[in-house]
Amino acid sequence: MSGIYIHIPFCKQACHYCDFHFSTSMGKKEAMITAIKKELVLRKDEFNNDAVATIYFGGGTPSVLTTEEIQEIIATVYTHYAVIERPEVTLEANPDDLTEDKIIALSKSPINRLSIGIQSFFEEDLKMMNRAHNAQEAKKSLALATQHFSNISIDLIYGVPEMSNQRWEENITTALSFGIPHISSYALTVEPKTALANFIKKGLIKPLDDEIASIHFNSLLQKMEENGFDAYETSNFGKPGFYSENNTAYWLGKKYIGVGPSAHSYDGIRRGWNINNNAKYINALAIDQLPMEVEVLSKTDRYNEYIMTGLRTIWGVSLTRIQSEFGIEYYRYLLKQAEKHIEQGVLVVENDTLVTTKKGKFLADGIASDLFMINLSE
């Protein structure tokens, strides 16, 4: 089974930390929806006989679309693709868009999972991030959403300058008080050419502190475990039965297509990415052209991607798969590179699978980079 990711490239305003592709001008929204539907039609044969198991609206801020516009896009999927009986259909949403009427309308649509960008329940954090919502709207949106949706995820950001561990734990406690079954939580990062990078460079905001982020992460792990959540991926925590099916498919290397400007696609061998320019994307689709570049992944690329995604998840890296899919040279290299990390207690081999320990979870990306294969002739 496969998934469809739909990138909606519009936001009300720019968050200071964000480097995703979006526009704050809604002038091309109608043309964009037409183009997205056209791309879906043009790519309908890519799945062959695979059924669509997940549909995910990301962005940007997909909740700026009306429920009718969202349903138009979903209807296009159903018209041109085979879809399983009960697919997971997720909409990323911002609290300020989730009025009671909007939530009720969404609950009557094919959308059955909300991913709400809370980020923080504290006003000072939201202002620093330049979020479009305030703390009151964050809480109100959850109070309303939980009345109509059982499958809800929220995003929280840790490692924020001036955020004490006490304030971070209050964020987690507030989130848990709404009874939501899934939390995605990420360390604040400084991406080049963002407002946050500029503010830090000018001394207007304190530089980020990895030690503070590590403390916050360990507090998060403890709180999630105490409340019955599984840390099934480094940044994702779900109660049993509420893991993100869409994201899990990514991490397990399943096929998906990405529709919309800047969206990525993957079929196990090739990776494609759409142009990250709204006007050029719309113009290309208007003449039935796919504005996409494609690369064929080498064996080393596929090995490195498997290491990166595998170590971030509870499923780890299968040593049997490494040997059968990539060969003995990769297998021996991986074991050799992993030795020091096993000795340091951040990696362990369980059931012929290499996984990070609790101590190693926050370090997963750094560990993975040390296990990457570099410049192996193929």
Side-chain angles (χ1 to χ4, degrees):
M1 291 186 286
S2 306
I4 296 178
Y5 170 82
I6 300 164
H7 188 84
I8 306 300
F10 300 111
C11 290
K12 289 180 180 177
Q13 64 188 49
C15 298
H16 287 159
Y17 56 85
C18 182
D19 71 340
F20 292 156
H21 172 69
F22 67 92
S23 171
T24 54
S25 170
M26 306 287 176
K28 296 183 183 296
K29 189 174 75 161
E30 185 176 342
M32 180 62 68
I33 293 169
T34 298
I36 285 172
K37 292 190 293 183
K38 174 68 74 68
E39 185 183 359
L40 282 166
V41 174
L42 292 177
R43 301 182 66 184
K44 63 183 180 180
D45 295 329
E46 290 186 28
F47 282 167
N48 297 319
N49 296 320
D50 286 353
V52 175
T54 63
I55 302 170
Y56 191 101
F57 287 84
T61 310
S63 56
V64 300
L65 300 187
T66 65
T67 306
E68 291 73 23
E69 289 167 336
I70 293 165
Q71 294 204 87
E72 276 183 46
I73 297 171
I74 295 173
T76 304
V77 174
Y78 271 83
T79 299
H80 297 280
Y81 295 78
V83 182
I84 66 170
E85 186 176 349
R86 291 186 179 85
E88 177 190 82
V89 187
T90 302
L91 179 80
E92 289 185 354
N94 274 359
D96 48 299
D97 293 325
L98 293 178
T99 63
E100 184 170 14
D101 287 346
K102 181 73 170 273
I103 290 170
I104 291 172
L106 288 171
S107 72
K108 295 176 180 178
S109 79
I111 300 293
N112 52 33
R113 183 175 184 269
L114 292 180
S115 177
I116 305 175
I118 300 291
Q119 314 310 355
S120 176
F121 292 100
F122 288 90
E123 208 65 56
E124 53 266 49
D125 300 332
L126 297 172
K127 287 180 178 178
M128 188 280 292
M129 298 177 198
N130 199 39
R131 295 292 292 170
H133 68 277
N134 58 41
Q136 182 180 358
E137 287 173 322
K139 295 173 183 177
K140 184 179 179 182
S141 70
L142 281 177
L144 290 170
T146 51
Q147 294 176 31
H148 300 278
F149 284 86
S150 60
N151 198 351
I152 295 175
S153 176
I154 70 165
D155 289 350
L156 291 177
I157 293 180
Y158 60 88
V160 176
E162 311 292 345
M163 179 188 279
S164 66
N165 196 50
Q166 178 182 349
R167 192 161 94 211
W168 170 236
E169 290 191 349
E170 285 183 41
N171 259 329
I172 303 170
T173 300
T174 301
L176 293 172
S177 71
F178 289 95
I180 56 172
H182 191 281
I183 292 177
S184 295
S185 190
Y186 308 91
L188 183 65
T189 55
V190 182
E191 302 295 343
K193 300 180 181 179
T194 59
L196 178 61
N198 187 45
F199 294 154
I200 291 175
K201 183 178 179 180
K202 291 181 176 179
L204 300 175
I205 292 178
K206 286 186 176 181
L208 305 189
D209 188 324
D210 287 342
E211 185 176 344
I212 290 175
S214 177
I215 292 171
H216 288 179
F217 180 76
N218 287 326
S219 293
L220 176 66
L221 279 182
Q222 182 176 339
K223 286 278 189 181
M224 293 294 95
E225 185 177 343
E226 290 172 355
N227 285 274
F229 286 75
D230 298 329
Y232 70 105
E233 195 269 347
T234 302
S235 300
N236 286 270
F237 305 82
K239 290 198 170 181
F242 288 95
Y243 296 3
S244 168
E245 294 177 21
N246 176 82
N247 292 348
T248 296
Y250 291 164
W251 301 321
L252 295 180
K254 295 184 179 180
K255 183 189 300 185
Y256 64 91
I257 64 171
V259 176
S262 81
H264 283 230
S265 303
Y266 177 69
D267 67 2
I269 299 173
R270 291 172 293 272
R271 187 171 299 285
W273 58 95
N274 287 348
I275 193 168
N276 62 350
N277 179 292
N278 287 1
K280 291 181 179 179
Y281 173 82
I282 290 168
N283 292 339
L285 269 303
I287 56 174
D288 292 349
Q289 290 184 358
L290 292 174
M292 178 195 298
E293 292 184 54
V294 177
E295 67 170 339
V296 177
L297 299 178
S298 67
K299 184 192 290 187
T300 298
D301 291 334
R302 289 186 283 111
Y303 164 87
N304 289 343
E305 286 200 9
Y306 178 46
I307 296 296
M308 173 61 78
T309 56
L311 287 187
R312 289 182 62 91
T313 71
I314 57 173
W315 301 286
V317 173
S318 166
L319 297 178
T320 301
R321 177 180 169 184
I322 292 293
Q323 190 165 359
S324 62
E325 186 172 328
F326 301 103
I328 192 67
E329 189 171 0
Y330 285 83
Y331 174 77
R332 289 172 177 167
Y333 175 83
L334 174 59
L335 291 182
K336 180 180 178 183
Q337 292 298 105
E339 281 180 2
K340 66 179 179 181
H341 298 291
I342 293 172
E343 290 173 2
Q344 293 167 1
V346 294
L347 283 181
V348 66
V349 177
E350 296 177 346
N351 300 319
D352 205 38
T353 301
L354 195 63
V355 294
T356 54
T357 63
K358 184 179 290 188
K359 180 182 175 183
K361 284 187 181 298
F362 184 70
L363 307 170
D365 290 349
I367 297 169
S369 66
D370 194 41
L371 305 183
F372 286 168
M373 180 73 77
I374 308 295
N375 297 328
L376 180 69
S377 59
E378 299 179 10

